[in-house]
């Protein structure tokens, strides 16, 4: 599974420009799905199983987009100014490298600062692509780039850009592959434009009309020096979301997930996240409302170019989803 994760994280596909990663995911899911389609917004939807008497329609969502930057202006000396796509943080950028969809790479530079102890604003930064004139610059207004950073294995931990949410994508691909039988009609949605407001999941949920919605996404942790005040750690199992900044999970789904984990002997943690949200919010608020929850993969340094997960949590998230989806759902 590590080889799959590496392939997924290394493809640059910021929100709205998901085509490269979508083709990679399509090649991974096609052998295991009953039907694969791409909807009008670009969501990749893989269906497995048909709804039996004791089954329901379940939508699973992992977003395939990632945060990035978009060129707003190229000056006469070939330096490119940019705006952000999604929750990019200014303090992560100086010295970073970015890769454009056309293959061009650049370095993020900063104007001379009045106060070097203050985080510079995006307006004080530019991208240097090695060009010395506007004509020689290999990118133009509207072009997009993602962070460029190698995938690394540090013991049990995996580090890369775009773990948010390619690690969720990897978990769903692996779950689809592992799942032998299901009483449900399962819709594995690899959604677009999550980082700019859950837009892909919004339309996908409307189209699928699921009875139950589950997102698979990353969540913050409280186990780093002076970090978040939060009871989630790397390596202690998938986190079952109770709430985040944008939704309260359906408590029946929370119990279903916790009971399933207990019965299967899978470690898990309860997640109470105070800010941020996932595609589960969009599914929950779709049409007349859908009972929704989220399996979260604990992740350090979210939205930096070096997001870190624990491989055991990844494997246990896959096991938990396979256990959840292989039997009838009884909510109480
Ligand atoms: Co994110
Ligand atoms: Zn995410």
């Amino acid at each position: 599974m590590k080889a799959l994760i590496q392939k997924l994280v290394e493809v640059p596909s910021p929100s709205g420009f998901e085509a490269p990663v979508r083709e990679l995911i399509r090649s991974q899911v096609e052998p295991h799905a009953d039907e694969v389609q791409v909807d009008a917004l670009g969501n990749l939807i893989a269906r497995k199983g048909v709804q039996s008497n004791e089954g329901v329609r379940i939508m699973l969502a992992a977003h395939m987009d990632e945060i990035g930057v978009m060129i707003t202006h190229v000056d006469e000396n070939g330096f490119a100014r940019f705006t952000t796509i999604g929750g990019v943080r200014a303090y992560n950028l100086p010295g970073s490298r970015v890769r454009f969809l056309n293959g061009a790479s650049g370095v993020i530079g900063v104007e001379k600062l009045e106060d070097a102890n203050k985080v510079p604003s995006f307006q004080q930064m530019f991208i240097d692509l090695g060009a010395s004139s506007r004509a020689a610059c290999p990118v133009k207004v509207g072009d997009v780039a993602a962070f460029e950073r190698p995938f690394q294995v540090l013991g049990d931990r995996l580090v890369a850009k775009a773990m948010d949410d390619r690690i969720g994508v990897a978990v769903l691909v692996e779950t689809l592959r592992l799942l032998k039988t299901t009483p449900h009609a399962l819709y594995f949605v690899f959604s677009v434009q999550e980082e700019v407001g859950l837009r892909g999941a919004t339309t996908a949920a409307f189209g699928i009309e699921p009875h139950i919605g589950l997102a698979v996404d990353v969540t913050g942790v409280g186990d780093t020096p002076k970090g978040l005040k939060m009871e989630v750690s790397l390596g202690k199992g998938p986190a079952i979301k109770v709430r985040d900044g944008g939704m309260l999970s359906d408590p029946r789904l929370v119990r279903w997930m916790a009971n399933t984990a207990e019965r299967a002997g899978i470690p898990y943690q309860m997640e109470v996240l105070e800010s941020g949200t996932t595609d589960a919010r969009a599914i929950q608020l779709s049409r007349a409302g859908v009972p929704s929850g989220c399996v979260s993969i604990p992740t350090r340094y979210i939205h930096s170019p070096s997001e870190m997960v624990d491989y055991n949590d990844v494997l246990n998230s896959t096991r938990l989803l396979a256990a959840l989806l292989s039997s009838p759902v009884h909510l109480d």
Side-chain angles (χ1 to χ4, degrees), residues 63 65 163-165 194-195 216-218 277-278 302-303:
H63 66 92
D65 63 318
M163 279 294 182
D164 175 12
D165 185 29
E194 188 272 354
E195 296 289 359
V216 181
D217 206 335
V218 301
T277 196
T278 72
I302 292 176
H303 286 196

Side-chain angles (χ1 to χ4, degrees), residues 219-242:
T219 190
V221 290
D223 64 351
T224 54
K226 298 190 180 174
L228 280 178
K229 293 266 179 296
M230 184 174 177
E231 277 285 328
V232 173
S233 304
L234 248 58
K236 294 191 177 167
I240 297 171
K241 188 184 293 292
V242 180

